[in-house]
Amino acid sequence: GLFFTVSCDKDFEDVNTNPNDAISVPSGLLTADIVRNAGNIMYSSFVGADMGSCWSQQWAKVNYEEEARYKIRNSVMEGTIWKGMYEDVISDAYSMEQLAIEEGNSASQAVGIIMQVYGYAFLTDVFGMVPFSEAMSSADGILDPKYDNQEDIYNGLFEMLDNANTLLAEGTGTINPDADILYQGNAANWQKFANSLKFRMLMRISGKKDVSSDLQEIASNRAIFTSNSDEAKLIYLDANPNANPIYESLVYRSRFEYKINSVLVTMLENLNDPRLEVFAEPNSDGEIRGKPSGIDAVPNDDYNYDNVSAIGAFYVDPNLPGFFMSYSELMFLMAEAANKGYITGSDEAYYYNGLKASFDFNGLSGDYDAYIAGAGTYTGSLQQIAEQNWLGLYCQGVESWTEWRRTGFPVLEPAIEAVIDEIPSRYSYPAIEQSVNADSYDAAVSAQGADLLSTKIWWMQ
């Protein structure tokens, strides 16, 4: 019997190993899922629409207005954002980086780093203090990672982006073009994305510390976006579940309650801006009409499904790009930086580059010259730069809200009938953190302030 048992174990692993089941996944194959998961989180209706475009008052709702009145869902905080970014973006991107190191593939390694940075930057910008230095340390036995302060997180992310820039500049390794749904294997564009993202992040903290030398170094020496063709955008496919989440929400799931906001309509009308007819559809009376944020609309004859304008057809398209960062945003940030003396160069030229990029994207190239000869003429005002950037970020929900939090422009009033008396400054942590990571959660709240939507995060203070 003993002989029989030992004999049965001989060559067990060789006989029972599936030759078609990969033992190790090539790093590049992870790219598609990482990019798509990040894009779907940003553009999901509960995040990009409800707690992005509605909070920045580009969109409004004529039904189901809880989030538009700042009543958030813990399930979205926990599942979609916290778990989604940590598990489906950051963790996978970290695995991609480690696999690429084993392969000796510096280009693929850099992509993994950049996507980690994007995920962490998103989280710290919406929550404030979050796990960073210990976030990927479960293998070391750390199951209750500390929440790092934002300044330390930003410094760590800058180091990561510098590393990615260096790895891509070395020109070794490859990026799988079939799995790279952002740049189709173009390492030069990934490098431009890394450096443009760093410029954005430096501007985000520029009110807290002097970052002018770092900004100038990027503007003078690094590869950055130079046109709309460089920008980091995911081109979605025609059919569910791979279409743009805006299309999937508004069309596939019939979420017709999302409408244009009256703040946006008024601004565009005052500027005689032709983008209004791209941003919105005429209502049942053939007019473009917005709705104020908040105010109860069901039942309400003043604001309903028919008499408030829907989101423009151009933006309700399955192939609409999901932007990680656009060229127009970079140009407006550089215009602001030049205006404030952070970098050299013409703030006017940067401003016009940003405006032209926005008009081109919206299919309005032929209207650009007339617009800049009129209401779009550069005045040298920081408010004008910020408001044009806000317009250029239309349908980039969280980013438009975040830039409003940073600049304070346009001047907005809280939603009518809201549950708090101000526009939120952050998201509240998922409730599960109070039980599974209580000590770290408590330390973060003690350092940052109460876990409320109204608590200012570090770079806002």
Side-chain angles (χ1 to χ4, degrees):
L2 177 63
F3 174 77
F4 179 78
T5 303
V6 173
S7 297
C8 286
D9 273 349
K10 185 177 181 181
D11 300 325
F12 180 85
E13 291 183 359
D14 293 336
V15 173
N16 290 278
T17 297
N18 182 355
N20 298 317
D21 190 12
I23 297 174
S24 178
V25 177
S27 63
L29 292 183
L30 298 177
T31 312
D33 274 352
I34 295 168
V35 170
R36 186 176 181 276
N37 287 334
N40 286 353
I41 292 169
M42 292 187 300
Y43 284 89
S44 69
S45 57
F46 287 129
V47 181
D50 286 338
M51 298 185 298
S53 291
C54 286
W55 288 8
S56 69
Q57 298 186 18
Q58 295 183 342
W59 289 13
K61 299 179 77 174
V62 293
N63 202 355
Y64 311 115
E65 296 192 65
E66 287 83 0
E67 286 84 6
R69 293 179 184 150
Y70 319 139
K71 184 179 180 180
I72 64 174
R73 303 185 191 204
N74 180 67
S75 60
V76 176
M77 296 296 110
E78 179 182 330
T80 305
I81 303 173
W82 193 269
K83 184 178 179 181
M85 274 296 179
Y86 274 118
E87 291 189 9
D88 300 330
V89 178
I90 295 171
S91 181
D92 285 357
Y94 177 77
S95 295
M96 180 179 179
E97 178 193 6
Q98 300 308 307
L99 288 169
I101 291 173
E102 294 176 7
E103 298 163 357
N105 188 341
S106 61
S108 189
Q109 179 186 350
V111 172
I113 293 171
I114 294 166
M115 291 310 299
Q116 287 176 72
V117 171
Y118 193 87
Y120 281 123
F122 181 95
L123 288 171
T124 192
D125 283 342
V126 298
F127 289 110
M129 295 178 66
V130 294
F132 170 64
S133 61
E134 297 179 350
M136 295 295 108
S137 298
S138 59
D140 299 325
I142 299 176
L143 302 179
D144 53 351
K146 68 177 182 179
Y147 288 52
D148 297 273
N149 67 61
Q150 280 199 286
E151 184 172 7
D152 289 342
I153 294 172
Y154 264 83
N155 288 338
L157 297 180
F158 291 145
E159 290 180 8
M160 292 171 69
L161 288 174
D162 288 343
N163 185 26
N165 176 62
T166 300
L167 290 169
L168 291 167
E170 290 173 355
T172 59
T174 59
I175 301 169
N176 186 311
D178 296 324
D180 180 6
I181 56 176
L182 206 59
Y183 284 126
Q184 295 72 54
N186 189 320
N189 278 345
W190 274 103
Q191 186 178 22
K192 291 178 181 179
F193 177 31
N195 295 326
S196 300
L197 179 59
K198 183 178 180 182
F199 197 97
R200 172 207 273 178
M201 293 169 62
L202 285 165
M203 286 300 294
R204 196 140 289 167
I205 67 171
S206 60
K208 294 296 293 183
K209 57 192 302 185
D210 182 4
V211 294
S212 55
S213 60
D214 295 312
L215 289 166
Q216 185 63 62
E217 191 271 332
I218 295 173
S220 299
N221 302 320
R222 297 200 188 187
I224 55 176
F225 296 157
T226 58
S227 71
N228 283 1
S229 62
D230 294 335
E231 54 199 5
K233 56 180 181 282
L234 170 59
I235 307 299
Y236 283 94
L237 304 182
D238 290 325
N240 177 71
N242 297 310
N244 185 290
I246 295 175
Y247 170 85
E248 292 190 356
S249 293
L250 274 63
V251 178
Y252 185 75
R253 287 190 284 274
S254 302
R255 299 295 302 273
F256 303 126
E257 71 269 18
Y258 292 103
K259 302 288 186 177
I260 198 77
N261 197 296
S262 57
V263 168
L264 184 69
V265 173
T266 299
M267 178 182 290
L268 290 169
E269 287 178 341
N270 290 340
L271 292 171
N272 195 26
D273 194 314
R275 285 175 291 184
L276 177 59
E277 296 183 1
V278 180
F279 289 179
E281 293 294 306
N283 65 7
S284 56
D285 295 324
E287 303 172 343
I288 293 181
R289 180 172 185 260
K291 174 188 174 293
S293 294
I295 187 170
D296 188 14
V298 178
N300 191 319
D301 291 335
D302 293 329
Y303 302 105
N304 57 47
Y305 283 90
D306 293 327
N307 63 22
V308 180
S309 291
I311 307 305
F314 178 83
Y315 285 89
V316 187
D317 185 300
N319 305 127
L320 180 74
F323 282 94
F324 289 77
M325 186 173 180
S326 68
Y327 172 61
S328 65
E329 181 184 3
L330 176 64
M331 288 297 99
F332 286 125
L333 292 174
M334 294 184 78
E336 178 188 345
N339 185 290
K340 291 179 175 178
Y342 297 160
I343 62 173
T344 57
S346 168
D347 51 333
E348 181 179 31
Y350 291 132
Y351 167 86
Y352 284 130
N353 285 343
L355 192 55
K356 179 70 163 58
S358 178
F359 269 61
D360 288 348
F361 173 72
N362 285 282
L364 297 169
S365 301
D367 297 290
Y368 172 73
D369 288 338
Y371 185 70
I372 65 170
T377 301
Y378 183 56
T379 65
S381 162
L382 286 171
Q383 179 172 351
Q384 182 187 36
I385 295 171
E387 290 181 348
Q388 285 293 350
N389 190 26
W390 181 80
L391 291 171
L393 292 169
Y394 182 67
C395 282
Q396 298 178 49
V398 175
E399 188 63 19
S400 66
W401 168 61
T402 297
E403 274 299 284
W404 172 81
R405 288 184 292 151
R406 184 181 71 86
T407 68
F409 295 119
V411 176
L412 302 175
E413 296 295 328
I416 300 167
E417 301 174 0
V419 297
I420 61 174
D421 60 3
E422 60 184 270
I423 299 171
S425 295
R426 61 182 290 274
Y427 296 163
S428 56
Y429 295 121
I432 195 172
E433 282 292 291
Q434 299 179 45
S435 57
V436 301
N437 196 10
D439 290 343
S440 296
Y441 168 87
D442 291 341
V445 171
S446 176
Q448 179 171 269
D451 188 11
L452 302 173
L453 300 180
S454 56
T455 296
K456 303 294 186 291
I457 61 175
W458 171 66
W459 52 255
M460 293 180 66
Q461 298 169 1

